Amino acid sequence: MRRILRRNPIPQHIWHSVTRHAVVLHELDAVQMAHLRELATWFLHSKQINGVQGLDVTLPMRVTVAAQACLLILNLDVDHFDNWVEVILYPGAFRVHHEQVDAVGVVHSEASVLSGESWLRGPVILSWDDVERDTHDCQTGRNVVLHEFAHKLDGLNGAVNGMPPLRSGMSRKRWAEDLGAAYAVLCRQVAAGDPACIDPYAATSPAEFFAVVSEYFFAAPAILKKCYPDVHRQLELLYHQPVSR
């Protein structure tokens, strides 16, 4: 790590410019910011960030992605981002096609327009328009970088299912109970057409619930703590990072 930091420093002016505009980083103290810079330097050395559809990816853009992605592992190990090497940036929202098999075995092709996607053992794919917007404004709790990289943490156990590897001393039973109860409440609200206090997309699956509450934990923690205090506490334990904002 020291050799990487020495040979691949992020220029000071770029680091300060990027982090000054990244709202989700504003609550970090000087020690945390210094460590985040080290992690972001490692990230840029270890991962490729490539543009498609003619998008020219500049160093500030790469640092913007790296700094916010590494916020998730600020108090974890870099091996939480093992087993994949690439981030793909589209200029804006992108269209994907997935095949679904229905109950009688018929295959249906479905098209979706996404702002981000994370493959279990493949790349993280992001819309730069959405990254840029969420970097400057996280009042709604939305942050596509945090969301997609939370899926990467979730998948470390071999499946993206809302059960990431927990820190030593954490209870899998308590985690499942606390997040499961909150997820059930949200699903009932969404099914009834009632307003939800977090993005209703979280009701899609336990995996999406974990990714969305991870967004809120860093980007709008007061909302998460008010709505789901038990979930907020579990994420404090997981990320080992109380967030007061």
Side-chain angles (χ1 to χ4, degrees):
M1 175 71 86
R2 290 181 180 178
R3 180 169 56 85
I4 293 172
L5 298 177
R6 185 172 61 251
R7 294 185 177 182
N8 304 274
I10 298 173
Q12 188 83 356
H13 71 284
I14 291 179
W15 177 253
H16 283 303
S17 175
V18 167
T19 57
R20 184 173 65 249
H21 292 103
V23 179
V24 76
L25 305 179
H26 286 179
E27 295 298 314
L28 300 184
D29 61 29
V31 173
Q32 291 171 318
M33 285 298 294
H35 184 42
L36 183 68
R37 186 176 181 182
E38 293 176 347
L39 291 173
T41 302
W42 165 84
F43 187 99
L44 294 179
H45 174 77
S46 305
K47 311 297 181 185
Q48 303 171 21
I49 303 180
N50 299 316
V52 295
Q53 294 184 346
L55 181 65
D56 182 23
V57 180
T58 65
L59 181 56
M61 292 166 66
R62 297 174 72 229
V63 173
T64 296
V65 172
Q68 292 178 92
C70 289
L71 179 61
L72 291 167
I73 61 167
L74 187 62
N75 295 304
L76 301 172
D77 296 323
V78 294
D79 59 9
H80 282 71
F81 282 167
D82 273 352
N83 303 320
W84 58 275
V85 297
E86 187 180 19
V87 178
I88 298 172
L89 292 182
Y90 279 80
F94 52 93
R95 183 179 295 274
V96 297
H97 294 270
H98 293 291
E99 291 188 345
Q100 300 286 341
V101 181
D102 65 20
V104 296
V106 177
V107 178
H108 301 272
S109 180
E110 298 181 355
S112 303
V113 177
L114 304 177
S115 60
E117 188 173 40
S118 179
W119 295 8
L120 181 60
R121 293 181 180 83
V124 172
I125 307 170
L126 301 167
S127 154
W128 174 249
D129 281 350
D130 289 270
V131 171
E132 192 170 33
R133 182 200 62 204
D134 297 345
T135 297
H136 293 87
D137 178 16
C138 65
Q139 296 303 308
T140 62
R142 177 185 167 87
N143 186 292
V144 67
V145 175
L146 296 177
H147 184 104
E148 298 306 333
F149 282 91
H151 283 315
K152 281 296 187 186
L153 299 185
D154 190 3
L156 287 172
N157 280 331
V160 181
N161 57 10
M163 177 59 78
L166 303 182
R167 295 177 68 91
S168 176
M170 291 184 69
S171 165
R172 287 176 61 89
K173 181 175 182 291
R174 185 64 183 270
W175 172 278
E177 288 174 350
D178 288 348
L179 270 73
Y183 176 66
V185 169
L186 179 65
C187 288
R188 287 195 296 269
Q189 290 175 331
V190 172
D194 296 334
C197 58
I198 65 172
D199 186 347
Y201 183 69
T204 304
S205 69
E208 296 301 344
F209 183 79
F210 170 68
V212 170
V213 296
S214 291
E215 290 180 82
Y216 276 80
F217 179 74
F218 290 101
I223 295 175
L224 181 64
K225 190 171 185 178
K226 179 179 179 181
C227 295
Y228 304 118
D230 292 336
V231 172
H232 184 273
R233 177 57 182 159
Q234 288 297 322
L235 294 185
E236 280 189 327
L237 295 172
L238 175 67
Y239 293 118
H240 201 58
Q241 184 172 329
V243 183
S244 60
R245 185 173 63 255

